[in-house]
C-alpha cells in the first residue's frame, strides 16, 4: 500500500526518507495504520469493487496541517468574527426591566434552546417532558456508537440510522420553533406573532 | 559558529538568538520546514503534522468543530471583559449591565458579542454533532470521543443557561424560573435538585451567585478539560476523511 500511495502524494517523500524519527507522525499518517484493502486471497465484493480501491489510494494523500489546515481555520474564525461583529453592531442583546419576582411576564419562556422542552410540557405529563425525554435523549446519544453495530460509514448502508437521526433533528427543531414563534399569551397557540392579525391594518 | 566569527552585528545576533529560541524554525517555505515548525510549536501541536487531504476538506468538516472552539475562546475573552464591570448581587447586577451598555467604552459591543457568540456556539456545537452523525464518524474507534462530545454539548447548553440569569432583568429571572422548574418534576430527587440549584425556593440572590460561579469558573473549567480530551482523542483515534 505504501509503495502504491508514495508516488501519488507530493508530500509523502518526507516520511519515506525518514528524517531521524522526527517524522514519526508523518510516516504513520502516510502509510496508515489500517490493513491494506487489497490482500492476496481476499474475495467477494471487496475485491470486485475496483473503483473503491482506486479511491483509497487517492485518500491516502496527505498534506501538512501547518499551514494548510491552520490557514483554513484562521479564515473560518475570521469570517465568524466579522459576522458576529456585524450582528453586534446592528442588534443589541435584549435587556428588559429589572427583575421583579412579583410580576410574571406573559408568556414566560425558557431560553430558546430549552423552549422545545417547554413545548413538550404542553403535550405530555411533566415527568415525561421534563425528565424522561431529556434523559432518554442524553443517554441515547451517549450509547449510540455502542448500539449501532453497522460498521459501514457510507450513507447508502445506513438508511435506518440516518432516518432515525433526521426524525429526531426535525422534531427538535420543530418543537423549538413552535415554542418560540407560535406560542403567545399563557403559552397558548398564536399565529399572530408571525402572520399578524387577519383583517387588521398593521400599526407598523 | 559564534556571531563574531561570522562578522555579524552583536545586536542582530542577539535578536536572531531571541527569535530562534521562541520559533525554532522559519516560515513554512517547504513541507519539511513546515513539519518541523509544527512539531516544535506548542499551539500548532494540537494538530498532527500531516493529515489526509480528504480529512480537512472544508466541504467535509464544514469547520464546525473548529468554529465552536473559536467561539469558546471569543466568549472567554469577551466574558473576561464583562467580569471587570459585573458584581453578582441582586442590588447591583442590573445597574452594572446598564453601565456596560451606556457608560463603559465598547461595553455595549462586548455584551452584544458575548450574547450572540453564545447563541452561535449552541448552534455550531449542535450542527457539529449532526455532521459527525451523518458521516458515521462516531463509529469505532471513536465511540468514546462521541460521548465526550455529547458532554461538551451539554456543557455548552449549561454555560449558556447559567449566563442567561446574570443580567438580572425580567427576561433572565423568568426564563431561569421556567427552566429550573423542570428539574422539580424529577421523581424523589426533583425538589431537592431544584433547591440545590437555586440555593433557595425561588430565583433570588442564592441562585444568582450559584449561576455566576458556575458560569465563570466551574463550567468553563469542565468544558476546557473535556475539550482537551476531545482534541487529543481526535488525534489519537485517527481521522475519518471522505466518504
Amino acid at each position: 500500500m505504501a509503495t502504491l500511495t508514495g508516488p501519488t502524494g507530493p508530500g509523502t517523500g518526507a516520511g519515506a526518507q525518514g528524517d531521524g524519527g522526527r517524522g514519526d507522525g508523518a510516516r504513520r499518517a502516510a502509510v496508515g495504520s489500517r490493513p491494506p484493502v487489497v490482500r492476496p486471497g481476499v474475495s467477494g465484493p471487496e475485491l470486485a469493487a475496483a473503483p473503491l480501491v482506486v479511491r483509497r489510494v487517492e485518500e491516502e494523500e496527505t498534506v501538512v496541517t501547518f499551514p494548510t489546515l491552520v490557514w483554513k481555520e484562521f479564515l473560518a474564525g475570521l469570517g465568524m468574527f466579522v459576522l458576529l461583529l456585524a450582528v453586534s453592531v446592528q442588534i443589541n442583546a435584549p435587556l428588559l426591566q429589572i427583575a421583579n419576582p412579583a410580576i410574571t411576564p406573559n408568556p414566560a419562556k425558557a431560553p430558546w434552546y430549552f423552549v422545545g422542552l417547554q413545548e413538550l410540557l404542553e403535550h405530555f405529563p411533566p415527568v415525561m417532558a421534563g425528565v424522561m425525554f431529556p434523559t432518554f435523549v442524553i443517554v441515547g446519544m451517549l450509547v449510540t456508537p455502542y448500539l449501532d453495530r453497522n460498521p459501514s460509514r457510507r450513507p447508502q448502508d445506513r438508511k435506518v440510522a440516518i432516518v432515525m437521526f433526521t426524525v429526531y433533528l426535525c422534531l427538535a427543531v420543530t418543537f423549538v420553533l413552535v415554542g418560540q414563534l407560535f406560542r403567545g399569551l399563557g403559552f397558548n397557540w398564536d399565529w399572530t406573532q408571525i402572520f399578524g392579525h387577519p383583517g387588521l391594518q398593521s400599526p407598523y | 559558529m559564534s556571531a563574531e566569527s561570522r562578522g555579524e552585528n552583536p545586536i542582530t545576533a542577539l535578536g536572531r538568538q531571541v527569535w530562534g529560541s521562541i520559533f525554532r524554525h522559519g516560515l513554512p517555505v517547504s513541507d519539511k520546514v513546515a513539519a518541523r515548525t509544527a512539531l516544535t510549536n506548542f499551539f500548532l501541536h494540537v494538530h498532527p503534522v500531516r493529515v489526509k487531504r480528504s480529512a480537512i476538506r472544508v466541504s467535509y468538516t464544514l469547520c464546525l468543530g473548529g468554529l465552536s472552539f473559536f467561539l469558546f475562546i471569543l466568549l472567554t475573552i469577551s466574558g473576561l471583559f464583562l467580569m471587570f464591570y459585573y458584581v453578582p448581587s441582586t442590588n447591583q447586577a442590573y445597574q452594572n449591565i446598564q453601565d456596560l451598555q451606556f457608560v463603559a467604552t465598547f461595553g455595549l459591543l462586548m455584551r452584544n458579542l458575548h450574547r450572540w457568540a453564545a447563541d452561535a456556539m449552541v448552534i455550531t456545537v449542535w450542527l457539529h454533532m449532526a455532521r459527525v452523525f451523518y458521516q458515521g464518524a462516531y463509529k469505532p474507534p471513536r465511540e468514546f470521543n462521541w460521548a465526550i462530545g455529547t458532554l461538551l454539548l451539554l456543557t455548552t447548553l449549561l454555560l449558556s443557561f447559567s449566563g442567561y440569569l446574570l443580567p438580572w432583568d425580567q427576561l433572565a429571572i423568568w426564563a431561569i424560573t421556567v427552566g429550573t422548574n423542570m428539574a422539580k418534576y424529577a421523581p424523589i430527587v426533583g425538589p431537592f435538585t431544584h433547591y440545590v440549584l437555586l440555593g433557595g425556593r425561588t430565583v433570588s440572590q442564592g441562585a444568582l451567585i450559584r449561576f455566576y460561579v458556575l458560569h465563570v469558573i466551574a463550567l468553563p473549567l469542565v468544558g476546557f478539560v473535556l475539550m482537551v480530551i476531545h482534541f487529543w482523542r481526535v488525534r489519537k483515534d485517527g481521522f475519518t476523511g471522505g466518504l
Side-chain angles (χ1 to χ4, degrees):
Chain A
M1 200 63 186
T3 50
L4 253 179
T5 54
T8 60
T12 45
Q17 283 161 19
D19 39 330
R22 306 190 72 172
D24 180 43
R27 198 177 302 119
R28 236 187 313 134
V31 176
S33 52
R34 270 182 244 107
V37 178
V38 190
R39 292 188 300 273
V42 91
S43 61
E46 222 181 347
L47 190 62
L52 249 187
V53 175
V54 171
R55 211 186 52 176
R56 283 297 280 250
V57 172
E58 184 202 339
E59 262 182 21
E60 296 289 347
E61 185 195 338
T62 62
V63 289
V64 282
T65 51
F66 174 73
T68 315
L69 177 57
V70 175
W71 180 238
K72 288 181 188 188
E73 290 168 333
F74 173 75
L75 286 183
L78 190 68
M80 175 61 88
F81 186 56
V82 169
L83 178 76
L84 284 173
L85 267 184
V87 171
S88 299
V89 168
Q90 292 295 324
I91 311 170
N92 284 340
L95 187 69
L96 305 183
Q97 299 288 306
I98 190 167
N100 186 347
I103 303 172
T104 311
N106 191 355
K109 288 189 181 180
W112 62 268
Y113 38 86
F114 286 152
V115 149
L117 287 178
Q118 199 178 352
E119 174 66 24
L120 273 178
L121 277 171
E122 294 291 307
H123 307 276
F124 296 96
V127 70
M128 281 180 81
V131 183
M132 282 163 70
F133 284 148
T135 309
F136 176 77
V137 168
I138 294 167
V139 174
M141 275 180 65
L142 286 172
V143 301
T144 292
Y146 305 99
L147 293 182
D148 183 356
R149 311 308 298 176
N150 177 1
S152 173
R153 288 180 50 232
R154 301 194 307 178
Q156 53 266 46
D157 301 336
R158 304 177 56 226
K159 293 199 175 96
V160 177
I162 286 177
V163 166
M164 279 171 67
F165 191 71
T166 307
V167 167
Y168 160 68
L169 287 191
C170 290
L171 279 176
V173 171
T174 307
F175 273 78
V176 167
L177 288 181
V178 165
Q180 194 69 17
L181 303 178
F182 295 104
R183 291 291 181 179
L185 291 177
F187 215 71
N188 290 316
W189 192 272
D190 181 10
W191 293 107
T192 58
Q193 288 184 70
I194 299 302
F195 298 109
H197 290 271
L200 277 182
Q201 199 69 39
S202 166
Y204 304 108
Chain B
M1 188 163 46
S2 68
E4 287 77 19
S5 60
R6 280 209 306 267
E8 201 173 30
N9 180 337
I11 302 294
T12 316
L14 182 64
R16 185 190 296 280
Q17 186 189 354
V18 170
W19 181 264
S21 67
I22 303 170
F23 303 103
R24 295 276 180 212
H25 303 279
L27 292 168
V29 287
S30 72
D31 271 14
K32 204 161 183 174
V33 177
R36 293 236 171 105
T37 306
L39 268 175
T40 53
N41 184 293
F42 175 78
F43 295 102
L44 294 178
H45 206 66
V46 72
H47 300 307
V49 174
R50 303 192 73 91
V51 69
K52 283 189 291 183
R53 187 184 285 281
S54 63
I56 57 166
R57 201 170 282 145
V58 172
S59 61
Y60 178 74
T61 66
L62 306 176
C63 292
L64 288 165
L67 281 177
S68 305
F69 182 50
F70 171 74
L71 287 170
F72 180 78
I73 295 170
L74 188 63
L75 284 160
T76 307
I77 295 169
S78 56
L80 215 65
F81 179 91
L82 297 178
M83 279 179 76
F84 291 137
Y85 292 88
Y86 182 82
V87 179
S89 146
T90 54
N91 296 325
Q92 291 184 56
Y94 185 75
Q95 193 60 49
N96 291 154
I97 300 294
Q98 286 200 318
D99 284 349
L100 263 169
Q101 300 216 152
F102 302 115
V103 181
T105 308
F106 289 123
L108 179 62
L109 181 69
M110 280 293 168
R111 176 163 131 76
N112 290 350
L113 257 183
H114 196 74
R115 170 61 196 251
W116 302 131
D119 284 344
M121 188 174 164
V122 172
I123 295 170
T124 57
V125 171
W126 205 75
L127 289 177
H128 179 56
M129 172 198 72
R131 183 230 115 191
V132 168
F133 185 91
Y134 281 120
Q135 289 166 348
Y138 59 86
K139 302 205 171 192
R142 293 175 208 85
E143 310 98 308
F144 182 65
N145 217 15
W146 166 270
I148 297 282
T150 305
L151 298 181
L152 276 168
L153 171 62
L154 281 180
T155 310
T156 307
L157 290 175
L158 291 176
L159 267 169
S160 185
F161 186 65
S162 57
Y164 217 89
L165 181 63
L166 304 188
W168 202 250
D169 63 342
Q170 279 289 76
L171 193 65
I173 182 179
W174 290 103
I176 301 306
T177 302
V178 170
T180 50
N181 270 344
M182 285 179 208
K184 269 201 253 184
Y185 301 131
I188 304 161
V189 294
F192 175 73
T193 310
H194 182 256
Y195 186 84
V196 170
L197 204 57
L198 293 187
R201 296 194 195 289
T202 58
V203 181
S204 52
Q205 179 61 59
L208 183 58
I209 189 68
R210 274 168 205 234
F211 275 52
Y212 176 75
V213 172
L214 286 174
H215 187 73
V216 304
I217 288 289
L219 290 168
L221 267 181
V222 169
F224 180 74
V225 171
L226 288 173
M227 265 181 253
V228 169
I229 302 173
H230 198 63
F231 300 160
W232 190 76
R233 289 295 294 239
V234 167
R235 283 198 59 171
K236 296 296 167 185
D237 294 342
F239 295 81
T240 50
L243 290 164

